[in-house]
Structures are given as structure tokens and as C-alpha cells.
């Protein structure tokens, strides 16, 4: 029975690594491509619009994303939790979530015909579920004020 | 002031280091540290656990075997009881020869099973399987098995093994439990099973040595010991490879017997005492289908082979 457990463990680990890495690479490619597409839509964390804007509409725009860890990342982070240091397994996860949330916000603003988004803020939350909270997800919500030239 | 969004270079928040490299270096580091820690811990546990009085061990054994007792029909089987009492008498004689302390009573259990094995567990209990008894050509060979098991009890090996397993598993639970992931549960169950491989080779060698001394004192010669290990050698050819066994490989045990006999300079021409005919008859496979799985999985078993 011990061998069966071990085989299951290694299989899940391998599966988590192969599939997780593939999805992550794919996601990063998509993020870079879309970031390039919406580069003209400027985003700032300034609270006030640049001076000299005349007759604009403003609207709240937001983008939200939840990304889950895979089995491999969980084990890697668990090991890291024993010795401490940079949890690289989670860093990529959070990076993806942050950029994806901003992109979704930009997409929404783009559809409204906005020229820029000001006062951009990010909110994060962690979602953990399952026995002993072994399945972790990160939520990032990006929101800001879209400036729509009227 | 001009507002612009320059392109942010990649790799600021994410390292280029391969995730597998990171993973395996961590695994190696943690593994080495954990191995050192648990070795030290089990060493301390083994040293301390012998201070638990034997009486406490007996109570502990009773609690562990509660609800695992043999079925009533086996208890009332007259053949079974006769064989058991024969084995008990032999064990008591050997216990006296081995100078087992007064407060360490030996209880022999005879279990009908094809398993060619015997083991000593907590509380001075020795389990002899009919599969083993059937293979015994004479009483001396059987006495070697018995003396080996009694030696384990005298050396407190069962409680040492239990102490090691319990300490290591508990430490694992508390350390990894703090890391709050299901990972801990998986590891604990796995390591727990590995350490369950009962006694160390050193414990086995010591038990062999003590058994040989007992045999010499009881019968005046070590006849039977060699026979026993040749029986095991035959059995081993159909069982698992050597690295899985905790017992010293039979060949080296056989050599130890020969060395011991030479050192003692006892006459090798000797006569082995036979096992009484009625015992042979009684343990004959009358109801061989009566094999009980639960009996084989009794707590912290010790394998002679």
C-alpha cells in the first residue's frame, strides 16, 4: 500500500508540474501579447486626471481574476515553508494574477472607448479550501477610473 | 510632466531559475536535515524507552491487542491448547535457562497459519505459526526459534521498536502539521510504514547470540541452530530480496552459528531431542483454511526470517 501511495504522489507531482508549467507558459505568452495590444491605453495611480482634459466622461472600471496553484507548486511551497526564503512557486502565480487583472480592467475600459485609466488600485485576497486548506488560490481585483473622451 | 506607460522588462518579479532545480535543492536539503534529526531522535528514544517498566509494557500490550483476540473456537480447540501448552512449557524452561527476570512472564500463542514465521511482541507475547512448527525437525531447532524470541523480550526489543516508531511519527506530525498542508499526512503515513520494519539488524544479531548461548546451556550443544537457518535459506529463495529484510542475511547468521560452536568447543556429535509425536499430529493441517489475517498483523511484529 505504501508503494501505491508513493506512485500516486509522484504521478500527481509530475502531472501538476507538466500541466501547470504548460498552462503557465501559455498564460504568460497571452499576457504579453495582450499587454502589447492595449499599450496605448494608459494606466496611472494618480488620483487626479492630467491637467488640460476637457469634457470627459469618467466611469469605474475593474477586472477580477482568480488563479489556483497546482500540486507541484503546493509541494514546492510546502518545502519552502520548512526552510524559508523566496517562494518562487507562488511568485509567478501572483504575477500572473496581477497582470491578468489589470488586463481585464483595460479590456473593459477599451470597450467603453476610454483613453486612460487613473487612480488604479489593486486588491488581493487568498482563497483556500479543502481539508487543511491545501488548495490555495489567489484573487486579484484591479479597478480604476476610466477617462472616456466625450 | 508627461504621462506615459513604458514597457516594463520581464523577469523583475519572476526568476529565470528552473522550478525543478529549486525544488530538488530544497528536497535534498530538507531530506538531509530531517534524516539527521530523526536519526538523533530515534536514537534518544531507544535509549530512554527501556526505562519503561515491563509491567507497564504488559498493560500497554493488553490495550493494543484488545478486540484483536483470537476467535473463541480456536481457543477452545483441544489440539490447539495442547500444542500451546507444550510450547509454553518449552518457553518457560528456556526462560529459566536464559535467566529472564522474574517479572517478565512469557506467553506463547500458537496460530494456525501457513506463515513460516514467529515473532515476539509487546508484553512478553510470542506468536508461533503452525507453518513454522510443521517445518521443525526436532525440539532443538524449535528451541532455537523460541530462545531467539525470548532473547528479544529480554533485550526489550519490542518496546524499543515501538518507541522508535512512535517518537518519529509524532515528531513528524508536529513538525509538518505546523506547515498546514496535506503534505504532512502523506509523509507521516509513508515514513511510519517504513520504520515499522521492526527490529534492527543489530538487535537481531544480539538475539541470535543470546539464543545460541541459551541453547548451549540448555542442551549442551548448538544442534538445531544450523538446521534452523538452512530451513530459512530454503524459504528465502521464494521470498523477497535481501535489502528488504531486517534480519541479518541467513548466510551470515549460519556462519555466526558455526563460529560460535567452534568458540565454545562443544562436541559436535550430539543427539537432538525430538518433538513429541502428538504435537506433530496436532499441528498437522487439520483446518488449514483457518488462516486469520488479523493474527498476522498483530502489533509491531518481529520476523525471524
Amino acid at each position: 500500500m505504501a508503494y501505491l501511495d508513493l506512485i500516486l504522489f509522484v504521478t500527481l507531482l509530475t502531472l501538476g508540474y507538466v500541466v501547470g508549467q504548460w498552462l503557465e507558459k501559455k498564460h504568460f505568452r497571452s499576457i504579453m501579447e495582450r499587454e502589447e495590444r492595449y499599450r496605448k491605453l494608459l494606466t496611472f495611480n494618480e488620483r487626479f486626471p492630467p491637467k488640460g482634459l476637457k469634457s470627459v466622461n469618467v466611469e469605474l472600471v475593474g477586472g477580477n481574476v482568480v488563479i489556483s496553484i497546482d500540486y507541484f507548486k503546493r509541494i514546492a511551497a510546502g518545502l519552502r515553508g520548512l526552510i524559508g526564503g523566496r517562494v518562487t512557486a507562488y511568485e509567478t502565480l501572483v504575477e500572473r494574477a496581477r497582470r491578468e487583472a489589470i488586463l481585464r480592467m483595460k479590456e473593459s475600459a477599451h470597450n467603453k472607448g476610454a483613453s486612460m485609466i487613473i487612480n488604479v488600485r489593486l486588491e488581493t485576497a487568498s482563497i483556500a479550501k479543502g481539508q487543511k486548506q491545501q488548495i490555495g488560490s489567489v484573487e486579484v481585483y484591479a479597478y480604476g477610473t476610466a477617462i472616456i473622451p466625450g | 510632466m508627461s504621462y506615459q506607460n513604458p514597457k516594463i522588462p520581464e523577469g523583475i518579479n519572476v526568476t529565470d531559475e528552473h522550478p525543478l532545480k529549486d525544488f530538488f535543492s530544497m528536497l535534498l536539503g530538507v531530506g538531509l536535515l530531517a534524516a539527521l534529526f530523526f536519526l538523533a531522535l530515534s536514537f534518544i528514544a531507544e535509549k530512554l524507552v527501556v526505562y519503561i517498566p515491563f509491567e507497564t509494557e504488559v498493560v500497554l500490550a493488553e490495550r493494543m491487542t484488545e478486540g484483536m483476540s483470537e476467535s473463541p473456537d480456536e481457543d477452545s480447540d483441544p489440539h490447539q491448547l495442547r500444542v500451546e501448552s507444550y510450547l509454553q512449557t518449552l518457553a518457560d524452561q528456556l526462560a529459566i535457562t536464559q535467566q529472564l527476570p522474574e517479572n517478565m512472564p512469557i506467553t506463547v500463542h500458537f496460530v494456525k497459519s501457513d506463515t513460516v514465521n514467529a515473532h515476539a511482541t509487546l508484553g512478553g507475547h510470542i506468536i508461533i505459526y503452525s507453518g513454522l512448527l510443521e517445518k521443525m525437525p526436532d525440539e532443538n531447532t524449535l528451541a532455537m526459534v523460541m530462545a531467539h524470541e525470548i532473547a528479544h523480550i529480554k533485550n526489550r526489543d519490542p518496546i524499543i521498536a515501538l518507541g522508535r516508531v512512535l517518537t518519529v511519527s509524532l515528531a513528524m506530525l508536529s513538525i509538518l502539521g505546523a506547515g498546514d498542508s496535506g503534505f504532512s499526512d502523506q509523509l507521516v503515513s509513508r515514513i511510519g510504514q517504513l520504520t515499522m520494519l521492526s527490529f534492527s539488524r543489530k538487535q537481531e544479531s544480539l538475539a541470535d547470540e543470546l539464543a545460541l548461548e541459551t541453547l548451549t546451556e540448555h542442551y549442551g550443544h548448538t544442534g538445531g541452530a544450523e538446521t534452523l537457518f538452512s530451513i530459512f535459506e530454503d524459504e528465502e529463495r521464494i521470498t523477497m530480496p535481501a535489502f528488504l529484510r531486517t534480519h541479518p542475511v541467513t548466510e551470515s547468521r549460519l556462519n555466526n552459528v558455526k563460529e560460535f560452536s567452534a568458540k565454545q568447543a562443544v562436541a559436535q556429535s550430539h543427539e537432538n531431542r525430538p518433538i513429541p509425536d502428538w504435537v506433530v499430529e496436532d499441528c498437522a493441517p487439520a483446518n488449514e483454511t483457518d488462516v486469520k489475517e488479523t493474527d498476522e498483523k498483530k502489533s509491531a511484529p518481529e520476523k525471524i526470517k
Side-chain angles (χ1 to χ4, degrees), chain A residues 8 19 24 26 31 37 40 42 45-46 65-66 77 83 90 95 113 117 120 123 125 136:
Chain A
L8 192 71
V19 176
E24 188 164 282
K26 203 176 125 186
I31 285 173
R37 199 189 306 161
K40 288 229 170 69
L42 304 179
N45 62 358
E46 286 277 315
V65 68
V66 178
I83 51 177
Y90 283 175
E95 168 94 347
I117 308 166
V120 173
E123 302 281 339

Side-chain angles (χ1 to χ4, degrees), chain A residues 17 43 71 80 88 95 99, chain B residues 5 10 13 18 22 186:
Chain A
Y17 176 74
T43 52
Y71 196 80
R80 187 50 89 187
T88 49
E95 168 94 347
R99 288 167 79 169
Chain B
N5 276 171
E10 294 290 328
N13 299 316
H18 200 275
D22 185 42
Q186 292 166 8

Side-chain angles (χ1 to χ4, degrees), chain B residues 146-163:
Chain B
M146 201 70 96
H148 175 94
E149 303 305 342
I150 295 171
H152 273 314
I153 287 165
K154 192 181 180 186
N155 293 340
R156 309 290 309 272
D157 289 347
I159 191 111
I160 288 172
L162 182 78

Side-chain angles (χ1 to χ4, degrees), chain B residues 7-292:
Chain B
K7 192 175 158 63
I8 299 162
E10 294 290 328
I12 291 175
N13 299 316
V14 177
T15 50
D16 282 339
E17 199 187 49
H18 200 275
L20 281 183
K21 191 188 153 206
D22 185 42
F23 181 76
F24 283 113
S25 58
M26 277 194 295
L27 198 67
L28 200 73
V30 171
L32 275 176
L33 275 177
L36 267 175
F37 174 70
F38 288 114
L39 265 176
L41 202 66
S42 64
F43 178 77
I44 295 166
E46 281 173 31
K47 287 279 169 267
L48 290 181
V49 81
V50 288
Y51 293 106
I52 295 175
F54 192 77
E55 289 80 5
T56 315
E57 190 187 317
V58 172
V59 176
L60 200 68
E62 269 167 21
R63 216 172 289 167
M64 282 180 93
T65 49
E66 247 170 45
M68 290 172 84
S69 60
E70 294 111 279
S71 63
D73 64 283
E74 198 164 301
D75 274 346
S76 57
D77 180 5
H79 298 289
Q80 173 100 14
L81 287 177
R82 266 172 69 187
V83 177
E84 214 165 70
S85 74
Y86 163 73
L87 293 170
Q88 183 69 54
T89 317
L90 181 66
D92 288 342
Q93 287 168 359
L94 290 168
I96 291 164
T97 317
Q98 212 171 90
Q99 288 165 344
L100 207 65
E102 284 283 303
N103 63 349
M104 278 196 191
I106 300 286
T107 322
V108 183
H109 302 269
F110 176 62
V111 175
K112 288 227 161 141
S113 162
D114 288 340
T115 322
V116 185
N117 204 350
H119 54 241
T121 74
L122 291 176
H125 294 279
I126 292 176
I127 293 150
I128 306 262
Y129 292 107
S130 57
L132 179 88
L133 194 55
E134 277 165 31
K135 286 219 157 53
M136 297 289 105
D138 47 52
E139 194 187 279
N140 299 53
T141 314
L142 180 61
M144 179 63 194
V145 176
M146 201 70 96
H148 175 94
E149 303 305 342
I150 295 171
H152 273 314
I153 287 165
K154 192 181 180 186
N155 293 340
R156 309 290 309 272
D157 289 347
I159 191 111
I160 288 172
L162 182 78
R164 186 171 48 211
V165 171
L166 273 186
T167 316
V168 169
S169 333
L170 277 178
M172 282 232 143
L173 260 177
S174 55
I175 290 171
L176 293 171
D180 80 351
S181 60
F183 182 44
S184 53
D185 287 348
Q186 292 166 8
L187 256 185
V188 166
S189 66
R190 204 151 296 129
I191 307 286
Q193 280 158 339
L194 283 178
T195 40
M196 208 60 184
L197 281 175
S198 63
F199 306 153
S200 66
R201 288 189 173 210
K202 200 180 158 209
Q203 286 174 314
E204 295 301 342
S205 302
L206 284 175
D208 270 354
E209 215 170 287
L210 197 52
L212 282 170
E213 280 166 23
T214 313
L215 216 59
T216 321
E217 207 163 310
H218 196 71
Y219 295 102
H221 56 78
T222 55
E226 276 181 48
T227 333
L228 181 71
F229 292 125
S230 10
I231 290 171
F232 284 145
E233 219 166 23
D234 290 344
E235 282 292 314
E236 255 163 35
R237 279 187 203 117
I238 43 174
T239 54
M240 46 175 108
F243 65 89
L244 280 176
R245 274 180 262 127
T246 45
H247 278 63
V249 183
T250 311
E251 203 184 302
S252 71
R253 292 173 90 185
L254 198 56
N255 289 338
N256 287 346
V257 172
K258 284 174 183 158
E259 257 173 51
F260 183 87
S261 312
K263 232 193 298 179
Q264 296 290 307
V266 273
Q268 283 305 298
S269 56
H270 53 252
E271 211 161 282
N272 287 351
R273 199 181 294 174
I275 292 176
D277 282 344
W278 56 267
V279 172
V280 180
E281 277 163 30
D282 280 355
C283 88
N287 45 351
E288 222 172 13
T289 50
D290 202 24
V291 181
K292 265 167 223 65

